[in-house]
Amino acid sequence: NSLFFLGVFSLLSAIYSLSGTNILKLFVTNNYLRNVFAFIPLSLIPLSLCIMISKHTKAKYRKGLNIAIHLLFLNFIIQSLLTCFHIFDFRFMLPASHITILMCIIILIYTLIRSWNDQTKSSRTFLFCILPIIIGAFIDIIIYYRNTSFYWGIFFQTGVLFFITIQFFYVINAFWDNYILSIQSNMYKKMAFTDSLTNLNNRAAFEIKIEEINNNLNSYSSI
């Protein structure tokens, strides 16, 4: 689940970052569609982030996170419906998205502080990697309302790059550890069920096979 939401978060972040460049104009000539590519990821990125944090937080600390998740989901649904029915456009509802995101940032920081001492080492590492994203998003929102013409979202994108890089190495390391464990497991299994002198199955393997046959007698009715 964590890997799935990490992938969703990375994809949405990539689309959002791409929407702020001229590259998207080469593929999407319609201004309205480019706005959709910008604002939909903006609404969904915090949602996937909150879900990932919720996965790494104990149940007793999730109340605030659940509120944040519902707020973000409600904001996305309402804005999508208003845009589909041509009542409002995403651009005019951007302040509402920013207010929702700021509220969620406050909830996230409060949850992180409150649950920090009760987290495992791996969860602390994950939550620490998320801090640059939260801080970067907060700084970018402030810059946007101070000087819109020079807004690039660079702090948020830097935080995302840092987070994804650390998570990439963490996932690679986790897969490597699992690979080593699988090799060790196969080796121990061979040692447990094989006679070292003859290299044949031993009594323990025989007992397991007999039990398997007894539990599936219908499969052996021809013998």
Side-chain angles (χ1 to χ4, degrees), residues 198-216:
T198 61
N199 205 32
L200 299 173
N201 288 346
N202 60 15
R203 180 59 182 265
F206 172 76
E207 295 289 350
I208 290 175
K209 187 63 179 177
I210 289 296
E211 185 179 355
E212 179 188 335
I213 292 173
N214 286 331
N215 292 332
N216 299 279

Side-chain angles (χ1 to χ4, degrees), residues 41-201:
L42 178 65
S43 301
L44 292 177
I45 286 171
L47 184 61
S48 59
L49 190 64
C50 286
I51 293 173
M52 282 195 296
I53 294 175
S54 178
K55 297 286 183 184
H56 286 80
T57 306
K58 292 186 177 179
K60 60 182 178 181
Y61 301 112
R62 289 179 190 166
K63 186 176 180 181
L65 291 173
N66 291 333
I67 293 172
I69 290 169
H70 284 89
L71 278 174
L72 290 165
F73 185 73
L74 193 64
N75 175 68
F76 172 72
I77 293 298
I78 291 173
Q79 291 202 22
S80 299
L81 289 174
L82 290 174
T83 303
C84 287
F85 290 109
H86 303 288
I87 299 173
F88 283 106
D89 190 74
F90 278 119
R91 290 171 295 177
F92 297 107
M93 294 182 287
L94 183 59
S97 294
H98 284 162
I99 291 170
T100 306
I101 292 171
L102 286 173
M103 289 172 64
C104 292
I105 286 174
I106 294 170
I107 292 172
L108 287 176
I109 292 173
Y110 171 76
T111 303
L112 292 179
I113 293 172
R114 188 163 170 261
S115 64
W116 187 259
N117 292 328
D118 202 15
Q119 297 285 1
T120 61
K121 185 178 179 180
S122 60
S123 294
R124 284 184 182 181
T125 303
F126 178 83
L127 296 173
F128 177 77
C129 294
I130 280 179
L131 283 176
I133 300 177
I134 297 173
I135 296 169
F138 181 74
I139 294 172
D140 280 340
I141 290 174
I142 292 174
I143 292 174
Y144 177 82
Y145 286 102
R146 284 180 64 87
N147 196 341
T148 310
S149 58
F150 291 98
Y151 172 75
W152 293 99
I154 190 67
F155 291 100
F156 171 75
Q157 293 175 21
T158 303
V160 169
L161 182 62
F162 173 80
F163 171 74
I164 292 175
T165 303
I166 296 297
Q167 290 303 306
F168 173 77
F169 284 109
Y170 177 79
V171 168
I172 293 297
N173 186 58
F175 273 112
W176 176 254
D177 288 343
N178 287 333
Y179 174 71
I180 297 298
L181 285 173
S182 68
I183 293 175
Q184 292 176 346
S185 176
N186 290 332
M187 183 179 66
Y188 293 145
K189 184 178 180 181
K190 184 177 180 181
M191 290 171 62
F193 298 114
T194 307
D195 178 66
S196 59
L197 182 64
T198 61
N199 205 32
L200 299 173
N201 288 346

Side-chain angles (χ1 to χ4, degrees), residues 9-21 24 34-46 94 98 101 137 140-141 144 151-154 156-157 160:
F9 173 80
S10 302
L11 180 63
L12 291 171
S13 300
I15 295 172
Y16 176 70
S17 299
L18 192 67
S19 67
T21 66
L24 194 63
R34 284 203 299 271
N35 289 329
V36 170
F37 273 110
F39 290 106
I40 287 182
L42 178 65
S43 301
L44 292 177
I45 286 171
L94 183 59
H98 284 162
I101 292 171
D140 280 340
I141 290 174
Y144 177 82
Y151 172 75
W152 293 99
I154 190 67
F156 171 75
Q157 293 175 21
V160 169

